Amino acid sequence: MGYARKEVGRLMGRVMHRYAMVEDGDHVLVAVSGGKDSMAVLWLLRDRLERIPISYRLTAVHVDPGFGGDSAAMLSEFFRENGFEHRIVRSGIGPRAHSAENLENPCFLCARLRRKILFDNARELGCNLLAFGHHKDDVIETFLLNLFYGGSVSTMLPVQTFFDGRIKVIRPLYEVPEAHLSRYAREMGWPPVDLGCPTAVSSKRREIKELLAALQRTNRKIKGNLFHALHNVRVDYLPPAL
């Protein structure tokens, strides 16, 4: 087993234990976009079953956004070849989010529509957990996105409950740096999956990622300090709500 795979597995296991993410008998819907992050969550959640005293069920669900990419075919083959229970959902959320009426923020609407589809499928499949592949860098970037463009001090949580507790969202990679996942994907030899998104390289998140990279070159502690700050909020030094 390569170093990256062991390190990602170690960090993921620590987070899952700390937040008691999965219990015996749970049915986990793993949202698999085709990127390295969601592929890692799916693979490592199955790996854990060999080493822990509980059992849970995994169902991978891929939502094809409808851009005309090859994601549905590629992931369907990947799931079958590797023995994953799965479902492919074909949708038109990508073109809808990028329509002329919504050019200002297509990523936000696309993500919201995708999440609704995933929640609906979780209910249909009887899944009580929904696992996303968001990693440590995503948490930091979302904090800055919400700060700069949403006017709020907020970010993703490692665990969130919805619908009066009937479905719980978990983010097992909450403390895993993206660089670890990139190396892990190379070790695993996973091929790139094309969603066909026209704004994948020009989104607001991409701008934040480039800003952080520039800051990180001048101070390697930037990302770590931001992540630590999210867990060290000094409420007494923040002004009251307007």
Side-chain angles (χ1 to χ4, degrees):
M1 182 185 293
Y3 167 79
R5 184 173 178 180
K6 288 194 288 188
E7 185 63 7
V8 171
R10 182 186 70 81
L11 292 171
M12 177 172 145
R14 185 175 72 182
V15 167
M16 293 187 70
H17 176 73
R18 177 182 297 158
Y19 295 103
M21 288 187 174
V22 182
E23 298 178 354
D24 190 52
D26 283 340
H27 186 180
V28 188
L29 186 159
V30 184
V32 180
S33 65
K36 61 186 182 304
D37 319 319
S38 57
M39 300 275 273
V41 168
L42 178 64
W43 201 272
L44 289 170
L45 279 174
R46 186 169 67 178
D47 274 359
R48 287 185 83 246
L49 286 168
E50 300 176 0
R51 305 188 304 274
I52 57 176
I54 66 170
S55 179
Y56 50 82
R57 179 180 171 190
L58 298 173
T59 301
V61 174
H62 171 64
V63 179
D64 181 343
F67 289 119
D70 59 359
S71 64
M74 287 187 68
L75 286 172
S76 182
E77 181 180 0
F78 173 83
F79 296 145
R80 287 197 304 270
E81 287 182 350
N82 291 284
F84 287 107
E85 181 181 338
H86 66 279
R87 174 181 286 189
I88 303 293
V89 181
R90 297 183 183 274
S91 76
I93 62 174
R96 178 180 171 188
H98 287 75
S99 64
E101 295 78 20
N102 191 55
L103 291 179
E104 184 176 344
N105 197 353
C107 296
F108 174 79
L109 180 57
C110 192
R112 190 177 72 178
L113 294 172
R114 176 174 175 265
R115 178 169 295 200
K116 182 181 184 306
I117 290 172
L118 290 168
F119 276 130
D120 289 344
N121 276 267
R123 284 192 291 267
E124 290 176 16
L125 293 165
C127 300
N128 62 310
L129 298 182
L130 172 53
F132 286 114
H134 299 124
H135 48 68
K136 186 175 182 178
D137 291 63
D138 285 326
V139 175
I140 297 166
E141 292 160 13
T142 299
F143 167 61
L144 294 179
L145 280 166
N146 290 343
L147 190 67
F148 294 161
Y149 300 109
S152 71
V153 178
S154 59
T155 191
M156 301 171 177
L157 298 177
V159 176
Q160 285 177 281
T161 56
F162 294 87
F163 310 111
D164 297 321
R166 291 192 295 276
I167 296 179
K168 183 168 70 174
V169 166
I170 60 173
R171 295 183 171 93
L173 302 180
Y174 183 78
E175 292 184 7
V176 180
E178 184 176 17
H180 285 30
L181 291 161
S182 296
R183 183 171 174 180
Y184 174 38
R186 289 195 296 271
E187 287 181 1
M188 297 297 289
W190 291 326
V193 176
D194 179 24
L195 296 178
C197 176
T199 56
V201 297
S202 60
S203 65
K204 294 296 183 186
R205 184 171 292 275
R206 175 61 59 181
E207 292 177 9
I208 294 294
K209 192 179 291 290
E210 292 171 355
L211 171 64
L212 283 169
L215 292 171
Q216 192 82 356
R217 285 193 289 271
T218 65
N219 183 345
R220 294 179 62 185
K221 295 183 178 180
I222 289 290
K223 289 183 182 179
N225 286 342
L226 282 167
F227 190 77
H228 179 70
L230 290 170
H231 302 83
N232 186 36
V233 178
R234 304 178 69 179
V235 178
D236 292 345
Y237 287 84
L238 291 175
L242 295 176

